[in-house]
């Protein structure tokens, strides 16, 4: 089953700065604590391939996932989707707009195959718990991202 969660936040930083930061998955390790690191082959644009190394759990401290940039609207929207050979679907959508107050509004959507939870934990969890944990983690991600980008302002 695919879980979809979306959250948004206003950031007191220029739209270009926010977009450039969130569009580059190599920055995710700074604001998403489960990311060990990410490498990207080629330029940041539609078609780019990223190899993301994430920590699913103590049982799976290094899970490699290949993501393709499937949509790139410069300074507005970037979408990364897991490649066909990946066992578990994942899509991340990051959209930025001027917020009308001199800052930027960031919307962050995460879609993923919830069966990856069993890979990380060794057992399944009810969908309601997976949604709750995901939403909680995403709130932390966005707070951390906001602090990073506003500090660099």
């Amino acid at each position: 089953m695919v879980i979809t969660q979306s959250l948004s936040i206003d950031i007191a930083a220029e739209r270009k700065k926010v977009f450039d930061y969130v569009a580059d998955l190599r920055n995710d390790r700074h604001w998403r604590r489960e990311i060990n690191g990410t490498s990207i082959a080629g330029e940041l644009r539609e078609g780019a391939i990223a190899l993301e190394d994430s920590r699913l759990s103590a049982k799976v401290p290094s899970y490699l996932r290949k993501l393709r940039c499937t949509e790139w609207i410069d300074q507005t929207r970037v979408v990364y989707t897991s490649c066909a050979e990946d066992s578990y679907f994942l899509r991340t959508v990051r959209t930025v707009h001027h917020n009308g107050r001199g800052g930027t509004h960031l919307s962050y959507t995460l879609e993923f195959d919830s069966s990856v939870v069993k890979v990380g934990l060794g057992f399944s969890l009810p969908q309601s718990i997976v949604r709750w944990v995901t939403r909680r983690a995403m709130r932390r991600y966005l707070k951390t991202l906001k602090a990073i980008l506003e500090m660099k302002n």
Side-chain angles (χ1 to χ4, degrees):
M1 173 178 216
V2 173
I3 300 284
T4 302
Q5 293 289 321
S6 295
L7 289 174
S8 60
I9 195 165
D10 285 325
I11 300 172
E14 294 176 6
R15 177 179 171 179
K16 179 182 181 349
K17 178 181 173 181
V18 174
F19 181 83
D20 289 349
Y21 196 82
V22 300
D24 188 342
L25 295 181
R26 292 171 292 198
N27 292 321
D28 282 20
R29 67 186 180 90
H30 301 293
W31 58 281
R32 294 178 51 218
R33 71 181 193 174
E34 80 280 4
I35 301 301
N36 298 321
T38 304
S39 60
I40 297 177
E43 285 184 50
L44 288 176
R45 60 178 171 77
E46 191 168 334
I49 300 291
L51 184 60
E52 178 183 85
D53 178 7
S54 62
R55 181 182 193 278
L56 295 182
S57 66
K59 180 182 175 194
V60 184
S62 181
Y63 179 80
L64 296 176
R65 177 187 319 261
K66 194 182 287 188
L67 300 165
R68 177 182 301 278
C69 180
T70 53
E71 184 178 344
W72 182 283
I73 302 171
D74 198 35
Q75 305 308 310
T76 303
R77 179 179 164 100
V78 63
V79 179
Y80 287 94
T81 307
S82 54
C83 293
E85 65 268 19
D86 199 304
S87 302
Y88 303 97
F89 170 79
L90 178 130
R91 179 177 306 142
T92 178
V93 180
R94 300 153 187 214
T95 307
V96 299
H97 299 285
H98 292 291
N99 68 6
R101 295 181 300 281
T104 302
H105 185 79
L106 168 68
S107 296
Y108 175 47
T109 299
L110 180 62
E111 301 171 70
F112 65 95
D113 180 347
S114 63
S115 57
V116 74
V117 171
K118 186 173 184 179
V119 174
L121 298 178
F123 56 89
S124 297
L125 288 173
Q127 299 300 309
S128 59
I129 293 175
V130 175
R131 281 188 192 90
W132 181 83
V133 169
T134 300
R135 192 163 191 80
R136 185 170 177 241
M138 288 174 69
R139 278 192 194 107
R140 281 195 313 266
Y141 297 162
L142 292 180
K143 283 182 182 179
T144 301
L145 181 62
K146 178 181 174 82
I148 289 168
L149 290 170
E150 289 181 352
M151 181 176 59
K152 291 184 176 187
N153 226 3

